[in-house]
Amino acid sequence: MRRTSAVPLSGTSAGSPSSGRIAGAAGAVAATAVAGSLAVDTGSAWYRGLSLPAWQPPGPVFGAVWTPLYASLAWSVSRALDRTEHGRDRRRTAAAFGANLVLNAGWNVLFFRAHRPVAATAGAGLLALSSADLARRAHRTDPVAGAALVPYAAWCAFATALTARIARLNR
């Protein structure tokens, strides 16, 4: 991907993604959040029976963290896509974004619905790699958008470590 000129795209201001692109990215992220949350069941007998590490954050922290991460994901990806000059690169970044969202919602299904912590660890690892790749892709086009994705990639890496520890504790 190449950086574009500083000229705003699609009538946007220099720092804002186009309204259509941000709406599409926000819609995709919101659908992912809803799909993922529908799979979560912390009240199930299975979940309540798990041994959890002492360093697992309390339940409310997850919502407090995921909300701004999802917002920054939608903003960053739409901003990077707006600044991607070539259609092929834009399509590749959009496909990487879509794959990331599938992995994001998929973790909840693997962990909470399928009760497969080992598989969920693999899914979380793929999500963390995908998130780092998304930050890299965004950074190549727009360093600000790439930097805004670093907390998302870091949280996904933390989630991988947490899931792996839960899997080990509950063999």
Side-chain angles (χ1 to χ4, degrees):
M1 287 181 263
R2 294 188 186 146
R3 288 188 188 153
T4 61
S5 67
V7 176
L9 300 170
S10 307
T12 64
S13 66
S16 302
S18 68
S19 59
R21 198 166 323 270
I22 189 71
V29 169
T32 298
V34 168
S37 70
L38 291 174
V40 174
D41 186 4
T42 57
S44 72
W46 175 79
Y47 184 80
R48 288 191 324 264
L50 289 174
S51 294
L52 302 173
W55 48 274
Q56 177 171 319
V61 169
F62 290 94
V65 169
W66 275 112
T67 301
L69 290 178
Y70 278 144
S72 69
L73 176 61
W75 178 85
S76 298
V77 169
S78 60
R79 181 175 156 126
L81 288 170
D82 271 353
R83 286 162 176 72
T84 301
E85 212 169 66
H86 302 288
R88 185 181 73 187
D89 291 337
R90 190 177 300 112
R91 286 188 300 276
R92 287 179 177 170
T93 298
F97 174 53
N100 182 272
L101 295 179
V102 168
L103 290 166
N104 187 300
W107 178 89
N108 292 309
V109 173
L110 287 170
F111 189 83
F112 287 103
R113 291 293 171 201
H115 304 163
R116 307 265 323 265
V118 173
T121 299
L126 290 172
L127 175 60
L129 291 172
S130 171
S131 300
D133 176 63
L134 208 51
R136 178 193 62 81
R137 287 173 187 273
H139 185 269
R140 286 174 57 189
T141 303
D142 182 351
V144 172
L149 286 170
V150 170
Y152 175 63
W155 183 258
C156 291
F158 170 76
T160 302
L162 179 60
T163 307
R165 184 65 183 140
I166 292 169
R168 280 191 298 271
L169 288 172
N170 294 279
R171 283 188 224 181

